[in-house]
Amino acid sequence: MNLWKRLMCYCRRRSPWLFHLNSGSCNGCDIEIVAALAPRYDAEQLGVRLEGSPRHADILCVTGPVTRNAVCAIKTVYGQVCGPKAVVAIGSCPATTNVFIDSRTLDGPLGKHIPVDVFVPGCPPRPDAIIEGVAKAAQILAERGDEVPEVITAAEVQA
Amino acid sequence: MSILTALARLLIFPGILFAVPAAWFFLWVERKSVAMMQGRIGPPFMQPFFDFIKLLGKSTPQRTGVAGALMRAWPLIAVSTAAGAVGLLPVLPSSGGFQGDLILLLALLEVPSICIIAAGFTSRSIFGEIGSAREAVLSVSYNVVFLLAIISVAASQHTFRLEALAQAPATSLRWIGILAVLICLPAKLHLNPFSLPNAEQEIYSGPMVEFAGPELAMWELSHGLEWVAATGLVATLIAPQMAFWGLSALAFVALSFGIVLLLSALAAATARLAIDTTVRFYWQCTIIFAVLAVSSALLMRLRS
C-alpha cells in the first residue's frame, strides 16, 4: 500500500460524516443519536459530524422499522450518498422490525433494501453503543476502499 | 518588488504555503471554540486536514454538460480568488513595483461569495436556490456597510494602496471603520448569527447541498481561505508597523488568531437570525457607523 492510500485510509477512519435517516422510527433512537453528539458523549472527538445533505455524508444512520412509504426514500438517499459509503442500522427496528413484525404497513427489515454494514441493536441503544457502531463503520469504510459492497454482511455492536 | 519577491509573497508568505495550513487551523479553532463553549472537548487538531483528504478521496455524482463543468469550476474559482486575496495582504514590507491595491483585494474577497450564489443556482436544487437567494440578499446588505467602511478608511488616508494604508498611523476615524468591518465579518464568513445561506437544519446547508467529494473539499478550503483573508485584512489595518519583518509577520498571525477567537465565540454564543432581522440589522443599525465614518472622512478631505 503506498503512502497516499495509507493516508486516505487513516483520514477516512478519522472523519466519518453522518446522515441521519428516519424510516418510521418512534423517535427513541433519534434522540439517542443527538445525545451521542451532545456534551456528555461528544462524538465530535472522533471527527463525527452530522451533515444536512446525504451528498456530504460517508455513513448513513438509519433508524425505524422501514415503513412502506419509507422504502423509496431509503433507496433514493442511499443512492445519493457518494462512495465509499457505509450503513449503520440503529436500534432493533431496522435489524428485525422489532415489535412491529408482521405489520402490514411495514416492508422491513432494512437489510432487504440496502446493504447494512453495522447493526446497533437496542430499544433504544445507548449513545456509547451508537458511537462504537459509527467507529466500527468508519473502520469498515477505511478498509473497504473504493469498492461498492455487494454481499450483505454485518458486524454487531453489543449494547 | 522583483518578480521573485512577488512570487514568494503569493506562494509562501502570506500566500499558499502559509494560507492553506492557516485556513485549516482557523477552521479547527472555529469548531474547537464552539465545542469548548458547549462544554465539549471537540475535534482533534488535525480534523480539518483529515476532512479535506477524505473528501478528496470520495466520488462525485455523474454530471454532464455545461452544468457539470460549472459545478466543477465554481469551487476552483472560489479557492483561487481567496488564495489570491491572501497573497495580496501587505504583511511584509516590500519595495517598489506592484503593490497590493485595495480595490483588487475587495474584488477578490467578493468573488467566493458570487461563486456560492452561482453554485446554488447551478445545482438546480430547491434548497440550493433558496440558499443562493439568501446569500445574495445578505451580500447586498452587508456589502454596503463593508465597502463604505473600507472607503472611509482609504479616504481618510488619501490612498487606495494597501501598503500605504497598513503603514499609516491609526486615527480614531480608522477605528470606526475597522469596527464596521468587524461587524460585517460574521455575515461575510457565514457565521452565526448570520449563517442564513448555509443553514444546515432548515435548507440542508443551502448552496452546497449537491456538492460532494473533491468539490466540497474545495468549498471547505475556500471557506478557510476566506477566514484567513478577511481576518488578515483587519489584522493588517490594526497591526503596528515593525522594523523587522519577522515581528510584523508574528503580529499579523497573532492578531488574526485573536479575531478568529472573537468571531468563533460570537458564533457559539448566538443563534441564527431570520433573514428580515438580518437585513434590518445591516440596513438600519450598522449603516449609521459606515455613513458616519465615510462622511467624516470626506469632511476631513475637504478641510485638509
Side-chain angles (χ1 to χ4, degrees):
Chain A
M1 215 178 349
N2 62 28
L3 190 66
W4 174 249
K5 272 190 177 166
R6 267 166 56 195
L7 179 69
M8 184 63 74
C9 192
Y10 185 72
C11 290
R12 276 178 183 155
R13 193 160 60 74
R14 296 296 300 267
S15 161
W17 288 6
L18 312 182
F19 182 76
H20 172 213
L21 180 63
N22 181 332
S23 69
S25 162
C26 68
N27 211 28
C29 300
D30 306 333
I31 56 171
E32 296 302 321
I33 292 178
V34 178
L37 296 162
R40 182 177 282 264
Y41 292 95
D42 190 18
E44 205 184 4
Q45 287 176 54
L46 301 176
V48 173
R49 224 166 89 168
L50 197 61
E51 281 296 322
S53 163
R55 288 273 192 236
H56 304 178
D58 308 296
I59 296 173
L60 188 63
C61 290
V62 187
T63 56
V66 189
T67 58
R68 281 174 190 275
N69 280 342
V71 172
C72 184
I74 288 172
K75 286 181 179 162
T76 312
V77 171
Y78 180 75
Q80 281 171 342
V81 179
C82 295
K85 55 189 166 187
V87 178
V88 181
I90 289 169
S92 301
C93 287
T96 63
T97 65
N98 208 358
V99 292
F100 307 108
I101 198 162
D102 292 337
S103 166
R104 71 188 81 173
T105 59
L106 295 186
D107 193 9
L110 183 66
K112 260 169 76 177
H113 307 291
I114 55 174
V116 181
D117 295 285
V118 181
F119 287 108
V120 186
C123 188
R126 290 182 61 81
D128 40 10
I130 294 177
I131 292 173
E132 199 189 338
V134 168
K136 202 163 259 186
Q139 183 70 39
I140 291 170
L141 203 67
E143 284 162 6
R144 180 182 289 152
D146 296 328
E147 67 202 57
V148 183
E150 290 290 333
V151 194
I152 301 170
T153 50
E156 188 168 305
V157 173
Q158 287 302 321
Chain B
M1 187 165 37
S2 69
I3 190 89
L4 210 65
T5 18
L7 267 180
R9 267 176 70 162
L10 194 65
L11 294 179
I12 300 168
F13 187 87
I16 310 274
L17 204 67
F18 162 75
V20 171
W24 286 329
F25 176 64
F26 286 176
L27 288 176
W28 173 75
V29 171
E30 181 194 354
R31 282 173 73 177
K32 182 81 176 176
S33 50
V34 169
M36 284 175 82
M37 281 187 76
Q38 290 175 348
R40 295 187 284 122
I41 293 174
F45 181 69
M46 298 286 279
Q47 192 59 49
F49 172 73
F50 295 151
D51 291 345
F52 183 78
I53 298 291
K54 178 209 72 177
L55 284 172
L56 284 186
K58 273 181 84 74
S59 63
T60 43
Q62 286 286 319
R63 298 193 192 102
T64 49
V66 180
L70 279 177
M71 280 184 81
R72 280 188 290 278
W74 293 128
L76 288 177
I77 297 170
V79 165
S80 44
T81 50
V86 178
L88 267 184
L89 290 175
V91 185
L92 306 178
S94 63
S95 47
F98 178 75
Q99 287 163 334
D101 183 80
L102 191 62
I103 297 173
L104 178 61
L105 179 70
L106 289 180
L108 286 177
L109 269 178
E110 205 42 51
V111 174
S113 168
I114 294 168
C115 285
I116 289 175
I117 297 171
F121 283 114
T122 316
S123 72
R124 300 187 64 103
S125 154
I126 184 81
F127 302 111
E129 287 175 8
I130 294 172
S132 286
R134 284 181 175 191
E135 168 75 28
V137 170
L138 195 63
S139 141
V140 168
S141 318
Y142 75 74
N143 261 333
V144 176
V145 182
F146 187 72
L147 294 179
L148 277 180
I150 296 277
I151 287 169
S152 74
V153 170
S156 68
Q157 314 283 5
H158 299 262
T159 180
F160 268 113
R161 276 175 43 238
L162 275 173
E163 199 96 9
L165 272 179
Q167 276 163 3
T171 56
S172 53
L173 183 69
R174 184 152 156 171
W175 285 109
I176 300 179
I178 289 169
L179 194 66
V181 170
L182 268 179
I183 293 171
C184 295
L185 282 192
K188 202 162 186 58
L189 298 169
H190 311 129
L191 297 173
N192 271 348
F194 309 117
S195 59
L196 286 153
N198 55 345
E200 61 277 352
Q201 286 93 355
E202 308 152 25
I203 49 170
Y204 304 108
S205 61
M208 307 291 109
V209 71
E210 281 296 323
F211 287 89
E215 297 159 359
L216 190 63
M218 288 301 144
W219 281 122
E220 293 270 322
L221 186 63
S222 89
H223 180 54
L225 288 172
E226 270 185 281
W227 264 103
V228 181
T231 55
L233 175 65
V234 180
T236 44
L237 288 179
I238 300 175
Q241 279 303 302
M242 310 275 188
F244 179 54
W245 67 267
L247 272 180
S248 52
L250 205 68
F252 168 76
V253 174
L255 276 169
S256 305
F257 180 65
I259 297 163
V260 170
L261 275 184
L262 188 77
L263 292 178
S264 307
L266 176 77
T270 51
R272 189 174 300 128
L273 293 175
I275 186 84
D276 51 342
T277 324
T278 308
V279 171
R280 208 176 302 129
F281 173 77
Y282 279 114
W283 279 102
Q284 290 181 358
C285 312
T286 324
I287 207 164
I288 296 167
F289 264 121
V291 170
L292 200 72
V294 88
S295 51
S296 36
L298 289 177
L299 272 178
M300 272 173 67
R301 233 18 248 266
L302 287 176
R303 284 178 62 187
S304 64

